[in-house]
Amino acid sequence: PKGVLTIMFTDIVGSTAMADFLKTKHGDDRGADIYTETVREPHDKIIRECLKTHNGHEVKTIGDSFMAVFERPHDAVRAAAGIIKELKIAPIENPEEKNNPLEVRIGFHMGIAHPDIVDGKVKDYTGHHVNLAARVEAIAKDSQVLFSGVVKEIVGSLPDFQFYHWGKRKLKGIKEHIEIYELKWEGKTLGPEPPHDKSFNYPPVYDLKDVIGRDGFINDLKENIKKNKLVTICGTGGVGKTAVAIKTSTEIDDEYDLFFINMDRLNDDADDLQIVGLIAASAELPKESGRSLDELTKAIRGKCQNKPVLLLIDNYESIDDAKGRRVIAGLVGVEGLKILITSRRAAGVANYEKVIELEPFELKAGNRKNAELVKFLKSSDSYKLLEARVRLLGGMNEWEVPEVNAEYVKEILEITCGLPLAIELVAGWMNYYSWKNAAASLKESFDELMKIEEGICEGQLCKKSHLSVKACFNWSYDRLSEPAQKLFRALSLFANGFEASLVEACYGTLFKKNGKTKTLPLLIEIQRSSLISCTNGKWSFLPIVHRYGKDLLNGDEGKPEIEAAFISYWDNFVKEYSTDDVKLKNNLKLFEQEHGHLIEFLNLLLANEDNHDRYIINTGNLSRFWLIERMWGDSIKYLESAMEIAKKKAAKDPDNYQQHVAGICNNLANLLANMGDLKEAKVLFEEALRLYKTLAEKHPDAYLHDVAGTSNNLAILLKNMGDLDGAKVLFEEALQIRRTLVKKHPDAYLHDVALTCNNFAALLSDMGDRDRAKIIFEQALRIRRTLAEKHPDAYLPDVAITSYNLAKLLKNMGDLDTAKGLYEEALQIIRSLAEKHPEAYSYDVAETSNNLANLLANMGDLKEAKILYEEALQIRRTLVKKHPAVYLKKLADVCHNYAIWLKKMVDLDGAKTYFDEEADIRNRLKGTPNKI
């Protein structure tokens, strides 16, 4: 078969060890024969029979592995299950371990496979999707069947089979993250969690960048990274600093966990907290690590305990010198951390920083002519890069400089000053212009710019280089049609990374012709100029191009129209997707994906007083997203500026703006409370409550809900500050108001009643009023179960929380049987949530398993308690690998509980093992050597 196929790979687990064992025991020849007779032949027979039964086509064998293809993914699923089942029914003896029968691992993926045809027959298949299928198989373990999300999407579901979702995985050698599923059926246990090859999260636009002529620099850079904690690559814009840094990093990715941090997302106005937050998010650290430099340092230190970390901080010049220096200086001392910076200037971190200049390519052609010039050009790095880009961007695969055009090529390369970006900008157009015309028009553009900017760049190290890039920008931009130029200017308002559908939705009305919009053809035209690129359906531009587009927009008469279209789209976006907490929770991924664009949107609103009302409303709506996602830097900056604006307006017009001041106080207090600044949060909550009560006296229907919400929030804060009596008064007030509101509008306020009940009951439990706490917990649980029946995705997590809290209370009250049922309910819900969102709910599964195990151990159900303890241990060990600083203590606690339980069971050796592991972890937490 040809075309789109399901490609399967199978492999015998531990085959090399088995073969080596037999060769050692019987000699090479006899051992190989025994292995073939006892292992390979029965194994091959099972594989081939299952392929035949399920319409599979054997492609080849590779050692002990099979490669097969299927025209239908459904057949691949059944064939894989058949192989594993047959090996269980008729096990093949493992010659090395008699009691451990042979096992096979299987992986498959679906996509276009290119046939290798010899004498009219397909001998093999090649291509990206074949490689991907092999990588899926490589992460499977004993008797485990893994497959990609593409297969799941096509198959949907199959009777007698379940598809367990492991989430996205980064596979070795594959750029994109791949959804991985495991095949299960009755009696088949789930295999271990597949490993996650660390993703180096650099922007896809750099996949297309060449680093021709930089081998020596890259080798020097690698040596400097080894020797220094902080290395900064300096150079003029367009010289290729980022491309070289990425290439270098990918060549040492076995040594480090690599993370790309693009400072172009910030600017000189960004504060320390925004810089910290961007590094935390880009380095995939726990969200709490973004709330201070100390937290960030602690989290990175924990990550470095597993493997050294390299942070590639790109476009460092975008941020303020002093603020950037403070953050880098705070990080650079972390053991195991290396920092690589690209910037037009040094970071200025004394005693640590090694600065390396990246120079443009040299081209000293002199007066060479004709054949001698062609020979010289072909030996130069500038020309080699030009040739590679012309071939790639212009589709001219065989192109090389003809002698007749050598003089024009030389002239163009001299104007580009050996800057890779300038060379790219020219190369993209060479399928449309003669070299003679291109050279003449490019020189004209450069000379014109020299006249305009005479004296502006005096004193700069790379004056001509700076002008060269700008001249090439201007030249490439001038080649575009007027509509394409207008769209390019409009694109500069996007943060980066946008899809064609987003461009159409945002700007489509500006580019209508004959009733139809033309944004996609215009995007393709701009791509031809090398000003933007497209990878995997997403368009993007280099930061230097982004800044160039913004400069053009600032001098554009059509700027107001473009900004109005941009503002209108994102204003509607925020309104639609954050109208209530439930909708916001369901759209968190969407908000996270578009966050950079939303920041650009807020900056536009803030810059124009006419848009300040919109600014206040949108920061309020976005504050809930920032709180959930722990985006401290952005949230504090924008809410504080919104507060300042709202207070000024409220001083003149209290009736219309007092509500906004109260709302911002409430939102800002929530954020500060989550950051640990409880004292300031208390002041803001009290101010918000005072304002809302004043408003509610005049308009109770409009503001009683806000009084209740703020009372609830302040009560939680007072509880955390130790003022339990004050918290109790506020919870009772909030609950009374919400119960009144729910009588009129049950659908709108039931969730709020349940929330306050849950919080109030937890307080009463802490205060020792268990009987009342039990009654109120039960009320919360009834409401949440009712809500979950209608909206399971939104409310099942709340059911789990209340079941868990009530179970803990009942256990302390001695009602173990009811507590057991509630723990089991919570665990069942959380496990189902963890299947879809393992990152979000794995910790909760471990916590609930541990508590239920403790309860079952007390009730004498020792077998089930053992299973749950081991589940909690397995999950926490996985979490510790990713975030040791956050989860090490929790792992020690589970080891302690399990060891005590084993001691009660008189399994003293087992108890000692886990007590020793606990002691080892606690010593590690103290910073002492890993000795017991």
Side-chain angles (χ1 to χ4, degrees):
K2 302 172 186 176
V4 177
L5 302 172
T6 301
I7 308 117
M8 174 187 288
F9 287 90
T10 75
D11 190 30
I12 297 174
V13 177
S15 58
T16 304
M18 288 183 236
D20 289 346
F21 171 79
L22 289 171
K23 288 176 183 178
T24 302
K25 186 174 181 179
H26 300 288
D28 284 356
D29 293 340
R30 180 60 187 146
D33 290 342
I34 293 173
Y35 179 72
T36 299
E37 292 166 11
T38 61
V39 177
R40 278 299 304 270
E41 288 180 356
H43 160 267
D44 292 359
K45 183 181 178 183
I46 288 174
I47 299 282
R48 289 186 172 117
E49 285 178 353
C50 286
L51 292 178
K52 185 177 179 181
T53 302
H54 298 290
N55 306 310
H57 302 264
E58 178 184 339
V59 179
K60 62 181 178 180
T61 58
I62 314 147
D64 298 306
S65 303
F66 269 75
M67 177 185 177
V69 295
F70 299 79
E71 292 179 86
R72 297 176 71 248
H74 306 69
D75 292 329
V77 171
R78 295 188 179 99
I83 292 167
I84 303 300
K85 289 176 180 177
E86 284 299 317
L87 286 169
K88 294 297 180 186
I89 294 168
I92 299 171
E93 188 177 88
N94 183 331
E96 189 179 15
E97 301 177 52
K98 300 290 185 184
N99 297 323
N100 187 14
L102 176 141
E103 293 188 273
V104 169
R105 66 188 188 196
I106 301 174
F108 51 96
H109 166 67
M110 185 177 175
I112 294 175
H114 303 287
D116 181 9
I117 302 173
V118 180
D119 296 331
K121 293 184 179 180
V122 176
K123 297 295 184 184
D124 200 357
Y125 292 92
T126 59
H128 171 74
H129 296 288
V130 175
N131 297 335
L132 206 158
R135 293 302 186 193
V136 173
E137 178 267 318
I139 64 171
K141 301 298 180 186
D142 306 356
S143 295
Q144 195 172 30
V145 179
L146 299 180
F147 54 94
S148 67
V150 177
V151 175
K152 167 66 172 67
E153 188 175 339
I154 300 301
V155 173
S157 61
L158 278 178
D160 304 324
F161 294 106
Q162 299 91 48
F163 303 147
Y164 182 82
H165 186 212
W166 281 111
K168 287 188 176 181
R169 288 292 182 273
K170 177 69 176 65
L171 307 178
K172 191 171 180 63
I174 306 296
K175 170 64 179 168
E176 67 268 27
H177 286 68
I178 305 299
E179 297 279 0
I180 295 295
Y181 287 82
E182 180 170 351
L183 185 64
K184 285 186 65 187
W185 55 87
E186 189 175 353
K188 172 78 169 69
T189 57
L190 197 65
E193 181 176 0
H196 197 309
D197 190 23
K198 186 67 240 165
S199 164
F200 182 25
N201 57 332
Y202 63 85
V205 63
Y206 290 101
D207 282 336
L208 304 173
K209 299 298 173 191
D210 297 292
V211 286
I212 289 168
R214 301 299 194 187
D215 291 346
F217 186 90
I218 288 171
N219 289 332
D220 288 344
L221 183 56
K222 284 192 277 191
E223 286 301 313
N224 274 291
I225 291 171
K226 281 182 185 177
K227 295 175 185 176
N228 299 283
K229 297 279 290 177
L230 169 62
V231 179
T232 300
I233 306 172
C234 286
T236 191
V239 77
K241 301 182 291 294
T242 305
V244 165
I246 288 170
K247 176 64 174 174
T248 305
S249 300
T250 56
E251 289 187 6
I252 55 175
D253 65 348
D254 289 340
E255 302 171 44
Y256 300 95
D257 273 348
L258 303 171
F259 300 98
F260 185 92
I261 297 107
N262 182 12
M263 288 297 169
D264 185 59
R265 291 178 58 183
L266 304 176
N267 53 42
D268 280 341
D269 293 332
D271 57 27
D272 299 40
L273 207 54
Q274 285 179 286
I275 298 170
V276 165
L278 180 58
I279 294 173
S282 302
E284 300 174 13
L285 297 169
K287 291 172 182 174
E288 283 67 23
S289 60
R291 61 186 175 190
S292 70
L293 180 56
D294 286 343
E295 293 274 6
L296 177 65
T297 305
K298 179 183 173 184
I300 291 179
R301 186 175 290 115
K303 191 175 271 287
C304 288
Q305 288 180 7
N306 289 335
K307 189 177 181 181
V309 170
L310 174 65
L311 301 181
L312 200 176
I313 300 178
D314 192 38
N315 290 294
Y316 178 83
E317 71 273 2
S318 299
I319 58 176
D320 177 74
D321 267 345
K323 295 166 188 170
R325 193 178 303 118
R326 278 198 296 271
V327 174
I328 300 301
L331 293 174
V332 78
V334 173
E335 186 67 30
L337 175 67
K338 301 277 188 174
I339 300 175
L340 176 60
I341 289 175
T342 71
S343 179
R344 296 187 191 182
R345 60 175 186 263
V349 180
N351 303 323
Y352 286 103
E353 187 176 20
K354 172 69 175 178
V355 179
I356 307 175
E357 287 286 340
L358 182 61
E359 301 290 348
F361 295 129
E362 273 196 316
L363 185 77
K364 296 181 179 178
N367 294 320
R368 293 178 178 87
K369 299 291 181 183
N370 304 329
E372 186 187 355
L373 178 58
V374 170
K375 184 178 178 181
F376 171 79
L377 288 175
K378 285 186 175 182
S379 68
S380 72
D381 292 324
S382 284
Y383 171 77
K384 288 174 184 175
L385 179 60
L386 178 67
E387 181 184 88
R389 300 311 288 180
V390 168
R391 290 180 175 187
L392 176 68
L393 299 172
M396 303 160 71
N397 295 330
E398 304 300 324
W399 182 85
E400 57 182 27
V401 60
E403 189 172 313
V404 68
N405 286 328
E407 199 64 44
Y408 305 124
V409 172
K410 170 196 164 189
E411 190 173 346
I412 287 171
L413 289 176
E414 286 174 343
I415 292 172
T416 62
C417 282
L419 293 167
L421 178 57
I423 292 169
E424 282 186 32
L425 290 166
V426 174
W429 287 102
M430 296 324 301
N431 203 28
Y432 304 91
Y433 289 87
S434 71
W435 290 96
K436 180 179 179 180
N437 288 338
S441 58
L442 187 59
K443 185 176 185 305
E444 184 181 335
S445 179
F446 183 77
D447 291 344
E448 183 182 341
L449 189 66
M450 283 288 283
K451 290 176 184 175
I452 294 171
E453 301 206 4
E454 188 72 38
I456 291 178
C457 300
E458 290 298 332
Q460 284 194 6
L461 179 65
C462 299
K463 174 187 174 183
K464 190 178 178 186
S465 298
H466 167 76
L467 292 179
S468 172
V469 171
K470 190 164 184 182
C472 290
F473 270 137
N474 292 345
W475 180 82
S476 188
Y477 173 77
D478 288 343
R479 309 273 80 74
L480 297 173
S481 66
E482 284 190 18
Q485 290 179 348
K486 180 178 178 180
L487 182 59
F488 174 69
R489 298 192 297 270
L491 294 177
S492 70
L493 289 179
F494 289 121
N496 214 334
F498 46 88
E499 295 175 349
S501 57
L502 175 59
V503 177
E504 178 65 26
C506 193
Y507 295 128
T509 55
L510 300 183
F511 295 92
K512 276 191 174 180
K513 187 173 182 180
N514 299 325
K516 295 181 180 179
T517 55
K518 294 179 57 180
T519 55
L520 183 57
L522 293 175
L523 283 171
I524 295 169
E525 182 184 344
I526 300 168
Q527 181 187 18
R528 185 176 67 210
S529 70
S530 292
L531 291 169
I532 62 173
S533 64
C534 186
T535 308
N536 296 326
K538 206 148 197 177
W539 303 78
S540 56
F541 28 56
L542 297 174
I544 189 173
V545 180
H546 190 193
R547 290 192 285 271
Y548 175 72
K550 282 196 169 181
D551 287 343
L552 290 174
L553 181 63
N554 287 334
D556 182 7
E557 290 182 0
K559 180 182 177 183
E561 180 188 38
I562 290 170
E563 288 186 345
F566 185 85
I567 287 170
S568 176
Y569 175 81
W570 292 109
D571 194 39
N572 290 328
F573 177 92
V574 175
K575 198 177 297 178
E576 180 177 356
Y577 294 113
S578 63
T579 51
D580 56 63
D581 287 333
V582 174
K583 180 169 272 193
L584 179 59
K585 285 179 184 176
N586 291 337
N587 289 292
L588 282 178
K589 279 192 178 294
L590 185 60
F591 267 79
E592 190 175 9
Q593 175 186 320
E594 307 295 3
H595 187 242
H597 305 316
L598 290 168
I599 291 300
E600 294 283 339
F601 163 62
L602 289 180
N603 288 337
L604 270 184
L605 296 181
L606 184 57
N608 187 335
E609 284 190 18
D610 292 341
N611 289 321
H612 278 182
D613 283 358
R614 278 178 165 182
Y615 180 75
I616 292 168
I617 292 167
N618 279 283
T619 51
N621 287 334
L622 285 170
S623 67
R624 287 176 288 175
F625 164 68
W626 289 327
L627 177 61
I628 295 168
E629 291 299 299
R630 306 292 194 267
M631 292 182 175
W632 316 113
D634 288 339
S635 58
I636 297 296
K637 176 180 176 179
Y638 289 105
L639 280 172
E640 284 183 341
S641 61
M643 172 81 84
E644 186 179 342
I645 292 168
K647 281 187 172 179
K648 285 180 181 177
K649 287 178 174 282
K652 297 177 181 177
D653 186 1
D655 289 343
N656 287 318
Y657 288 98
Q658 202 171 53
Q659 57 176 315
H660 294 302
V661 175
I664 297 169
C665 282
N666 197 27
N667 292 330
L668 197 50
N670 266 317
L671 288 158
L672 291 172
N674 275 272
M675 291 179 68
D677 189 351
L678 304 188
K679 187 175 179 182
E680 183 61 28
K682 179 174 179 285
V683 172
L684 286 166
F685 272 137
E686 288 171 342
E687 174 69 3
L689 187 56
R690 182 186 65 77
L691 290 170
Y692 277 134
K693 283 182 173 179
T694 302
L695 290 163
E697 287 176 6
K698 296 179 180 178
H699 311 286
D701 290 342
Y703 293 106
L704 273 176
H705 165 69
D706 296 305
V707 172
T710 309
S711 295
N712 183 76
N713 292 339
L714 181 54
I716 293 170
L717 181 74
L718 292 177
K719 178 189 172 188
N720 293 334
M721 294 177 77
D723 184 359
L724 303 189
D725 291 327
K728 183 182 177 186
V729 171
L730 287 164
F731 273 135
E732 286 178 327
E733 178 182 7
L735 190 55
Q736 181 182 351
I737 293 170
R738 284 178 164 171
R739 281 176 172 160
T740 302
L741 292 169
V742 87
K743 290 176 183 177
K744 295 180 180 179
H745 310 286
D747 292 339
Y749 295 109
L750 262 178
H751 166 70
D752 295 329
V753 172
L755 178 66
T756 307
C757 282
N758 189 70
N759 294 335
F760 189 25
L763 174 73
L764 292 170
S765 178
D766 290 346
M767 296 179 76
D769 191 349
R770 292 178 176 174
D771 290 328
R772 192 178 177 200
K774 175 176 176 289
I775 293 168
I776 296 177
F777 267 138
E778 287 170 344
Q779 290 173 3
L781 187 56
R782 278 196 301 273
I783 294 170
R784 285 180 162 172
R785 281 173 176 164
T786 302
L787 291 168
E789 287 176 7
K790 295 180 180 179
H791 308 287
D793 290 342
Y795 292 108
L796 271 177
D798 295 332
V799 174
I801 289 167
T802 309
S803 296
Y804 179 87
N805 289 339
L806 182 53
K808 282 178 71 175
L809 176 67
L810 293 174
K811 177 190 172 186
N812 293 332
M813 294 176 74
D815 187 352
L816 303 189
D817 288 325
T818 308
K820 175 176 176 286
L822 289 164
Y823 271 135
E824 287 171 343
E825 178 185 16
L827 186 57
Q828 181 183 354
I829 293 170
I830 296 167
R831 278 175 176 160
S832 68
L833 293 168
E835 286 187 12
K836 295 179 181 177
H837 310 288
E839 289 286 336
Y841 290 101
S842 290
Y843 169 78
D844 299 310
V845 173
E847 189 78 5
T848 311
S849 295
N850 183 61
N851 283 352
L852 180 55
N854 289 338
L855 178 68
L856 293 173
N858 291 334
M859 295 176 74
D861 189 348
L862 307 181
K863 182 179 178 182
E864 186 62 26
K866 184 174 187 292
I867 292 169
L868 289 164
Y869 275 132
E870 288 174 348
E871 178 184 19
L873 279 165
Q874 180 184 345
I875 293 170
R876 283 189 170 154
R877 282 177 178 141
T878 302
L879 291 168
V880 160
K881 288 177 184 177
K882 295 179 180 178
H883 306 297
V886 178
Y887 294 112
L888 264 175
K889 184 179 182 302
K890 291 291 184 180
L891 178 59
D893 293 342
V894 180
C895 288
H896 180 82
N897 292 338
Y898 193 28
I900 289 174
W901 181 84
L902 290 169
K903 184 180 175 184
K904 288 179 181 176
M905 294 291 296
V906 201
D907 181 358
L908 301 185
D909 289 335
K912 181 179 183 301
T913 298
Y914 287 100
F915 275 132
D916 287 349
E917 183 176 355
E918 179 200 0
D920 188 34
I921 293 169
R922 298 203 191 279
N923 283 335
R924 185 176 165 189
L925 286 166
K926 293 175 187 174
T928 56
N930 289 333
K931 294 180 180 178
I932 299 164

